[in-house]
Amino acid sequence: MKIMVIVDKWSSYKKEKKCLIEELLDSGYEVILLSVEREPFFDSYNKRYKLFYVSTNGQKYVSGYFKFMVYCLMAYKVLKPDKILLHLSKGTLAAGIMFRLFKNTMYSVIIESLQQVKSKRSIMYRLMYRYIIGRSKTVFFVYNDDYEMADRFKFNCKDRAVLLRSWGVNIEKAYVYPLPKTDLVYMSMPVLCSHGIKCFIETAKIVREKYPKVRFLLSGTLAEESTVLSEGEFNEACESKHIYYIGDTPDIRPYLEVCSIFVQINVSVREGHIIEAEAAGRPILASDHPVNRSLVIEGYNGFILPANDAKKWADKIFLLLENKELKANMADCSRELCGRMHDSRIISKLIKDKLEQKLEITWRM
């Protein structure tokens, strides 16, 4: 049985999402991966799967999307997959429309973000999403907010929809750590937004004024916006030791081990490291963002807060610093929640099982 997985960038499938590919391979499926990348078109044979990169030569608009659509058609005609799993995004819309035109083509879609269809000027994107989703066998929503918006955009897919809640984390490789006796507040994201850093610095100043021994640690790649936070302001915060910046790090586990509170102040559509912090057993403070609302349960394993109100962040940190029992309970709840809802192996198996179910139904027809 052949399954073709179409994604915007293969690099986005190298971590937690790769667990899905491994689940399909372990179940005996032949997996074909087709991805948009700025590299020459070639096929690279792994021992277990076949990977194709499609170069669009940096073309972001009609010509690039059309080229990707043609390559998808070529791969479909030559390799003849039994099932298509489409990661629906701006870069894969043209391919989705093409497969929608083939009546006998069996495809399902994964929706990681509906950002493209949310603005008032996105009528065309809404129509295209609605058209592609209309005949999708199964619609997988990664996050809860997007799942809830399906009716608002008239996708009419709730009877075929599956909510994943996140991409998950491999619980087997995620260690749970006891809470340290000293207090360290840690924020980490692959890419740090200036709004989040500014709020983090302001929060640190408020907290350290009352509790000077509390440390604030920051890691990740800086995305600088001088209108929000200047280089001088950031350097001043580091030099005055309000925060400690350690740059980007490939492994955040050593820092999760020594922190007692994890915060994520993001304003963009990125999952960040909340799930890793939950797996480690840490209380979470997260900004009021659609992705975060799928990962944190208010009052259970943490708090959801406005991204630009440092006082509210400081108040919740005070609450956890001064109530060790609450902090310990939220830490335990984070680990429980992660194991129950965000285990990547369970999520990948759910996708695989739903794909198999739809395949069997179609064959009987």
Side-chain angles (χ1 to χ4, degrees):
M1 184 64 58
K2 293 181 182 179
I3 295 181
M4 179 182 285
V5 181
I6 301 174
V7 301
D8 53 352
K9 286 187 177 295
W10 164 240
S11 56
S12 66
Y13 268 68
K14 287 184 178 178
K15 294 183 180 179
E16 288 81 9
K17 301 172 193 177
K18 192 177 179 182
C19 191
L20 168 60
I21 307 301
E22 293 173 347
E23 177 68 34
L24 293 169
L25 290 166
D26 291 342
S27 299
Y29 291 98
E30 181 180 344
V31 178
I32 304 156
L33 288 153
L34 195 59
S35 168
V36 179
E37 290 282 346
R38 294 183 184 181
E39 296 180 21
F41 180 77
F42 69 96
D43 57 332
S44 174
Y45 289 89
N46 183 280
K47 291 181 179 179
R48 305 185 68 201
Y49 61 82
K50 192 180 294 182
L51 170 62
F52 292 89
Y53 289 119
V54 180
S55 172
T56 58
N57 298 321
Q59 297 166 313
K60 297 181 179 179
Y61 301 105
V62 176
S63 58
Y65 297 147
F66 179 76
K67 183 177 182 180
F68 183 55
M69 180 181 71
V70 171
Y71 278 126
C72 288
L73 177 60
M74 290 168 55
Y76 177 70
K77 291 293 186 181
V78 173
L79 301 173
K80 297 180 172 57
D82 301 285
K83 181 72 176 178
I84 295 169
L85 182 59
L86 175 70
H87 190 152
L88 191 57
S89 64
K90 187 176 180 180
T92 61
L93 271 173
I97 291 171
M98 177 194 68
F99 289 123
R100 173 68 168 80
L101 296 173
F102 296 131
K103 293 183 178 180
N104 295 325
T105 303
M106 297 166 52
Y107 69 91
S108 295
V109 300
I110 295 180
I111 297 177
E112 187 172 6
S113 172
L114 287 178
Q115 192 65 33
Q116 296 294 336
V117 305
K118 289 179 181 179
S119 69
K120 294 180 180 179
R121 298 181 180 180
S122 300
I123 296 176
M124 185 59 67
Y125 281 113
R126 293 179 198 176
L127 292 175
M128 288 190 288
Y129 268 65
R130 196 179 303 164
Y131 181 72
I132 294 169
I133 291 171
R135 226 188 62 240
S136 174
K137 302 298 181 184
T138 308
V139 183
F140 299 99
F141 287 93
V142 178
Y143 300 112
N144 186 63
D145 271 48
D146 294 327
Y147 173 80
E148 296 296 338
M149 286 185 183
D151 289 336
R152 171 185 164 189
F153 297 122
K154 299 180 181 178
F155 290 157
N156 300 321
C157 63
K158 283 294 182 72
D159 60 325
R160 295 167 285 125
V162 176
L163 176 60
L164 304 178
R165 298 186 183 276
S166 71
W167 282 110
V169 66
N170 191 331
I171 295 295
E172 285 187 341
K173 296 181 180 179
Y175 299 102
V176 57
Y177 302 108
L179 284 172
K181 294 181 180 180
T182 54
D183 283 301
L184 185 146
V185 181
Y186 179 41
M187 181 168 95
S188 177
M189 285 195 71
V191 179
L192 295 158
C193 68
S194 293
H195 290 277
I197 300 171
K198 184 176 182 179
C199 185
F200 188 68
I201 292 171
E202 291 174 351
T203 301
K205 289 179 180 179
I206 296 171
V207 173
R208 283 174 52 76
E209 191 173 318
K210 185 175 182 180
Y211 295 105
K213 291 185 179 181
V214 177
R215 298 290 182 262
F216 284 75
L217 184 66
L218 180 70
S219 71
T221 301
L222 299 176
E224 296 180 4
E225 294 178 66
S226 57
T227 56
V228 178
L229 181 72
S230 69
E231 184 179 352
E233 289 174 310
F234 180 75
N235 290 336
E236 189 277 330
C238 295
E239 289 169 4
S240 61
K241 297 184 179 180
H242 290 307
I243 66 169
Y244 294 84
Y245 177 57
I246 57 174
D248 192 17
T249 176
D251 187 358
I252 66 169
R253 285 176 295 180
Y255 307 105
L256 288 175
E257 183 176 5
V258 296
C259 82
S260 59
I261 301 171
F262 182 84
V263 306
Q264 181 168 297
I265 313 172
N266 63 318
V267 294
S268 59
V269 186
R270 293 190 178 94
E271 193 168 289
H273 297 302
I274 288 178
I275 298 180
E276 287 89 337
E278 288 180 343
R282 295 295 179 262
I284 312 294
L285 304 186
S287 55
D288 187 13
H289 185 277
V291 170
N292 297 346
R293 290 195 295 266
S294 285
L295 305 178
V296 179
I297 298 177
E298 173 74 21
Y300 180 70
N301 71 316
F303 300 101
I304 299 292
L305 301 163
N308 294 307
D309 194 334
K311 186 179 184 306
K312 289 186 178 179
W313 288 81
D315 286 343
K316 293 303 181 185
I317 292 174
F318 286 145
L319 178 64
L320 294 174
L321 291 176
E322 295 164 2
N323 192 329
K324 297 189 182 300
E325 185 178 354
L326 175 63
K327 183 169 66 174
N329 287 340
M330 284 191 164
D332 291 340
C333 289
S334 273
R335 179 67 182 188
E336 183 276 330
L337 181 70
C338 190
R340 175 164 49 90
M341 295 173 56
H342 303 302
D343 187 336
S344 59
R345 298 166 302 170
I346 295 174
I347 293 169
S348 298
K349 188 176 185 302
L350 173 62
I351 296 174
K352 190 262 298 182
D353 290 345
K354 290 295 180 181
L355 290 173
E356 286 183 342
Q357 182 182 13
K358 290 297 177 180
L359 280 169
E360 292 170 359
I361 291 172
T362 306
W363 289 337
R364 286 199 296 269
M365 292 172 61

